[in-house]
Amino acid sequence: MKQDATKSAAYTVDCEDYVHVVEFNPFESGDSGNLIAYGGNNYVVVGLCTFQEEEADIEGIQYKTLRTFHHGVRVDGIAWSPETRLDSLPTVIKFCTSAADMKIRLFTSDLQDKNEYKVLEGHSDFINGLAFDPKEGREIASVSDDHTCRIWNLEGMQTAHFVLHSPGMSVCWHPEENFKLMVAEKNGTIRFYDLLAQQAILSLESEQTPLMSAHWCLKNTFKVGAVAGNDWIIWDITRSSYPLETRPVHMDRAYLFRWSTISESLFATTGYPGKMTSQFQIHHLGHNQPVLVGSVAVGSGLSWHRTLPLCAIGGDHKLSFWVTEAETKVGTELKHARVTKGDLERWEEVSTLRRSLKYGDGEETDRQVVEIKNGKGNMAVSEGE
């Protein structure tokens, strides 16, 4: 495919303040528009946007602010709940935030009279990632510079607590099994936890540090991506605990990594913030070079549209949106269910092996690596870390 990779944003939306984080709602909400939330120095704005790529009678972008929520402190992270519905009576808007005061806030609104929030306290340092369980939205996972991953229920109680070896940078739930969790650490280790057994069942290793961001590919849960140092990194967990592919991407260090929600080959990365201009790139695994390169003044945050090859980034008093025309092979990839029967069987095989990794008097080894033969290669399973 030949195209000029350097592009300006396709659409922009003006904002009242600097935007620190932006998140499209990744769940179906019962409306033809797309919910989006962005956070500033002391507020969260929830809006609805529709693009010309999905509605023929719209020119460019149609955006409407639904509600602005007072936050009182800088917003650093936003995670949507799958319970959010625009087609219910009453309307349900539910999301959580992480903030500069090391607290999580859970917001619930009907966009009318009900506007509530609950504070979840426990972390003792900066919170780098948080996510709702995608099946029922009954639990929230968070990771922090305090070397912990914590699981919270909606009443604000901690239901699980994992001690990490370094700061936790990213956390993702399995899209179908809400007892499987991925946690990425700054030291380059990514672990998968079984929340029922309260143990790590598998790990991946980066050859670069610091690892700043990692993401589980929801279109193919055998794929994991991350950025560490100047590089983006891709793993196939059926092959090895070490990277399948690594490539330098940002000269000023890479900062964020996000898989597209519609393709297992499409992902985006951003350079480290703090400079006057932050670089943003969209990559396709079938191409040696980025398929799109953009820049945004002091860019912050990165989020993919739920059904389009379109990214949003926050910045100085604006939201910027980029659309890629890269061949995403969506038709082929949609033939595969998000989680196949084989996926579930291999996870069960990993869990069974974890329980069977015993020796001597029944103690688990400090570290054992077991290769599981399967149709795609070898899966490296790390135990007892």
Side-chain angles (χ1 to χ4, degrees):
M1 179 190 64
K2 294 182 179 180
Q3 68 174 35
D4 181 5
T6 304
K7 288 189 175 182
S8 300
Y11 317 111
T12 60
V13 170
D14 291 333
C15 307
E16 293 185 0
D17 197 359
Y18 181 82
V19 178
H20 291 283
V21 61
V22 57
E23 288 292 339
F24 278 112
N25 180 15
F27 307 108
E28 167 60 48
S29 61
D31 191 274
S32 59
N34 307 276
L35 282 168
I36 191 169
Y38 62 90
N41 288 320
N42 56 17
Y43 64 88
V44 178
V45 175
V46 171
L48 196 65
C49 52
T50 308
F51 300 89
Q52 65 182 18
E53 285 81 3
E54 52 191 342
E55 294 287 345
D57 57 346
I58 291 176
E59 183 175 348
I61 180 175
Q62 185 178 82
Y63 173 81
K64 176 186 178 183
T65 293
L66 298 181
R67 182 167 291 276
T68 299
F69 297 85
H70 179 70
H71 199 263
V73 65
R74 187 188 71 226
V75 184
D76 292 323
I78 298 173
W80 284 95
S81 166
E83 291 187 302
T84 295
R85 300 296 302 182
L86 292 176
D87 59 351
S88 63
L89 289 175
T91 295
V92 177
I93 298 290
K94 184 176 287 190
F95 61 92
C96 62
T97 64
S98 59
D101 60 1
M102 300 172 287
K103 298 175 183 178
I104 296 170
R105 289 166 175 80
L106 173 60
F107 288 82
T108 305
S109 173
D110 62 3
L111 299 180
Q112 299 293 329
D113 300 325
K114 179 182 178 181
N115 294 284
E116 305 172 347
Y117 76 89
K118 182 186 297 289
V119 178
L120 284 60
E121 298 186 62
H123 280 298
S124 60
D125 209 333
F126 188 80
I127 300 168
N128 295 311
L130 73 168
F132 268 93
D133 90 73
K135 288 291 287 181
E136 299 177 353
R138 309 310 298 170
E139 291 185 305
I140 299 166
S142 59
V143 290
S144 167
D145 280 349
D146 65 11
H147 293 212
T148 66
C149 171
R150 301 168 192 251
I151 312 298
W152 316 75
N153 62 25
L154 300 190
E155 285 68 50
M157 303 296 294
Q158 291 186 40
T159 60
H161 178 120
F162 299 102
V163 177
L164 309 178
H165 294 251
S166 67
M169 303 306 294
S170 299
V171 61
C172 299
W173 296 85
H174 191 283
E176 296 295 335
E177 294 186 273
N178 58 3
F179 58 91
K180 303 249 171 75
L181 195 71
M182 185 203 85
V183 174
E185 298 186 35
K186 197 170 187 175
N187 66 4
T189 299
I190 299 174
R191 287 186 178 86
F192 298 83
Y193 290 89
D194 182 330
L195 297 182
L196 299 180
Q198 301 263 313
Q199 290 187 9
I201 58 173
L202 184 150
S203 71
L204 306 174
E205 299 292 339
S206 165
E207 297 170 335
Q208 292 84 16
T209 58
L211 187 153
M212 298 303 297
S213 174
H215 200 210
W216 207 343
C217 180
L218 301 187
K219 298 305 297 181
N220 180 348
T221 50
F222 291 143
K223 284 186 178 180
V224 173
V227 286
N230 301 97
D231 300 350
W232 60 252
I233 305 163
I234 305 293
W235 290 266
D236 181 338
I237 67 174
T238 67
R239 297 189 181 185
S240 173
S241 61
Y242 291 96
L244 176 69
E245 191 170 356
T246 301
R247 193 165 297 171
V249 58
H250 294 284
M251 295 301 295
D252 57 345
R253 287 174 57 193
Y255 188 63
L256 292 175
F257 181 107
R258 294 289 186 273
W259 287 104
S260 164
T261 53
I262 64 171
S263 169
E264 66 177 75
S265 298
L266 200 63
F267 59 94
T269 60
T270 66
Y272 207 80
K275 301 182 182 294
M276 288 306 295
T277 299
S278 296
Q279 193 181 53
F280 154 75
Q281 297 184 12
I282 293 180
H283 312 267
H284 190 284
L285 290 177
H287 300 270
N288 292 326
Q289 300 296 323
V291 296
L292 188 150
V293 176
S295 64
V296 57
V298 205
S300 233
L302 174 63
S303 184
W304 283 93
H305 188 283
R306 188 175 64 86
T307 59
L308 294 175
L310 180 149
C311 273
I313 294 181
D316 188 10
H317 290 79
K318 71 170 57 177
L319 294 175
S320 299
F321 302 89
W322 274 268
V323 182
T324 177
E325 298 175 357
E327 179 190 2
T328 59
K329 302 180 182 177
V330 174
T332 300
E333 291 168 3
L334 288 180
K335 293 178 181 178
H336 304 284
R338 255 186 180 177
V339 181
T340 65
K341 181 180 179 182
D343 190 349
L344 301 180
E345 289 173 348
R346 287 187 182 93
W347 276 108
E348 180 59 32
E349 190 174 0
V350 170
S351 299
T352 301
L353 276 168
R354 177 186 52 73
R355 291 191 292 268
S356 67
L357 283 176
K358 307 285 185 179
Y359 75 101
D361 59 359
E363 296 289 330
E364 287 193 332
T365 62
D366 286 338
R367 180 179 178 90
Q368 291 192 21
V369 177
V370 176
E371 291 186 341
I372 305 172
K373 294 291 184 180
N374 57 58
K376 291 191 175 183
N378 297 331
M379 179 185 292
V381 183
S382 176
E383 283 300 324
E385 298 181 306

